[in-house]
Amino acid sequence: MKIIGRTHPGQVRPNNEDAFDFDVERGVAVLADGMGGLNAGEVASATAVAAILGELAAAGTTSADTLAAAIVTANQHVYELAQNNRELHNMGTTVVVWAALAADRFAVAHVGDSRAYRLNEHGVAPLTRDHSVVQSMVDQGLMTVQEARVATNRNVITRAVGLENKVYVDVEEIGHEPGDCYLLCSDGLTDMLEDAEIEALWRQHRHAPMEELAEHMVDAAVVAGGYDNVSVVLVRV
């Protein structure tokens, strides 16, 4: 297994509130996109990533249940930090986690609008559904996908880690096929690039080193505007 990550602050934001980390031995990758005033977003995302990896390491084994429990614990860590420090008040973060469960099975868990995708010979397929206002409107037939991409409230999320003392986590177990690669990303990538553009980059660079593919994805988002921090994590089993 190989896991790599790349991040860029973008062309607008003065700091980078994204965070990611991974544990190749355990087969776990975590990416978070923080929010909050001053440096609070950076604190929220880094705290969540560290807490999730720490909880999974302490659990010893990874399952859908331990994955969800780790995110719940991370939520408590971020929430308590915010409650105990006025400068961190109302901070929160999205989270998306990829975790190997067996040779032919993995789990994806997420809160917010950071995403996971499967990349293979068939193209690029989303594995998560945004917890956002516009996604809810798309689901209800009140807005098209293209309208959602340019809506003024497209970055308003309906769930986040750390904003409240409870959090609801979506977890799904999925079968792995030989040749599959996985992408975790913050909305700095998906706001700038449509899925078809991500797929074009994958098809063009799929046989290149993973580091090169990640750099091409991040660079493309920055060149397209880079209005937000851009982070990607790639997993190849």
Side-chain angles (χ1 to χ4, degrees):
M1 179 182 297
K2 184 173 182 178
I3 307 176
I4 63 100
R6 292 291 184 272
T7 189
H8 192 288
Q11 300 196 57
V12 176
R13 301 291 180 90
N15 59 337
N16 194 337
E17 297 182 323
D18 290 355
F20 67 81
D21 202 354
F22 44 83
D23 184 334
V24 176
E25 183 177 342
R26 295 186 181 280
V28 179
V30 187
L31 182 145
D33 179 355
M35 65 198 82
L38 298 176
N39 297 321
E42 296 175 16
V43 174
S45 59
T47 299
V49 169
I52 291 167
L53 286 176
E55 287 296 307
L56 290 175
T61 59
T62 304
S63 66
D65 288 342
T66 60
L67 192 52
I71 296 175
V72 168
T73 298
N75 181 79
Q76 199 62 35
H77 281 234
V78 176
Y79 179 77
E80 289 177 359
L81 272 178
Q83 295 304 303
N84 295 325
N85 188 327
R86 292 184 62 183
E87 293 185 354
L88 303 179
H89 190 58
N90 287 332
M91 73 174 177
T93 183
T94 69
V95 162
V96 59
V97 186
W98 183 97
L101 303 180
D104 61 349
R105 198 160 44 90
F106 66 95
V108 169
H110 81 293
V111 177
D113 61 358
S114 291
R115 298 180 183 176
Y117 290 86
R118 185 203 304 263
L119 294 69
N120 57 26
E121 62 181 3
H122 303 295
V124 172
L127 299 175
T128 55
R129 200 166 191 82
D130 293 352
H131 300 139
S132 67
V133 170
V134 294
Q135 184 61 61
S136 295
M137 295 179 72
V138 170
D139 293 343
Q140 296 173 58
L142 302 175
M143 181 181 287
T144 67
V145 171
Q146 288 305 314
E147 288 172 338
R149 287 194 59 80
V150 297
T152 56
N153 61 341
R154 64 185 179 278
N155 297 120
V156 178
I157 58 177
T158 54
R159 294 190 214 174
V161 167
L163 288 184
E164 299 178 354
N165 62 357
K166 291 184 179 180
V167 68
Y168 296 94
V169 183
D170 282 0
V171 186
E172 185 175 1
E173 294 189 28
I174 305 168
H176 168 77
E177 296 291 339
D180 285 353
C181 184
Y182 303 97
L183 165 68
L184 308 182
C185 61
S186 61
D187 65 350
L189 181 77
T190 53
D191 277 354
M192 293 295 96
L193 304 180
E194 296 189 23
D195 286 4
E197 295 173 297
I198 296 173
E199 180 168 328
L201 287 169
W202 161 246
R203 291 192 181 280
Q204 183 178 357
H205 302 288
R206 60 179 297 193
H207 298 300
M210 289 171 61
E211 294 85 353
E212 184 177 323
L213 173 60
E215 287 164 5
H216 279 296
M217 288 183 174
V218 171
D219 289 347
V222 173
V223 169
Y227 301 135
D228 198 355
N229 311 144
V230 186
S231 297
V232 305
V233 173
L234 290 170
V235 181
R236 193 186 296 275
V237 180

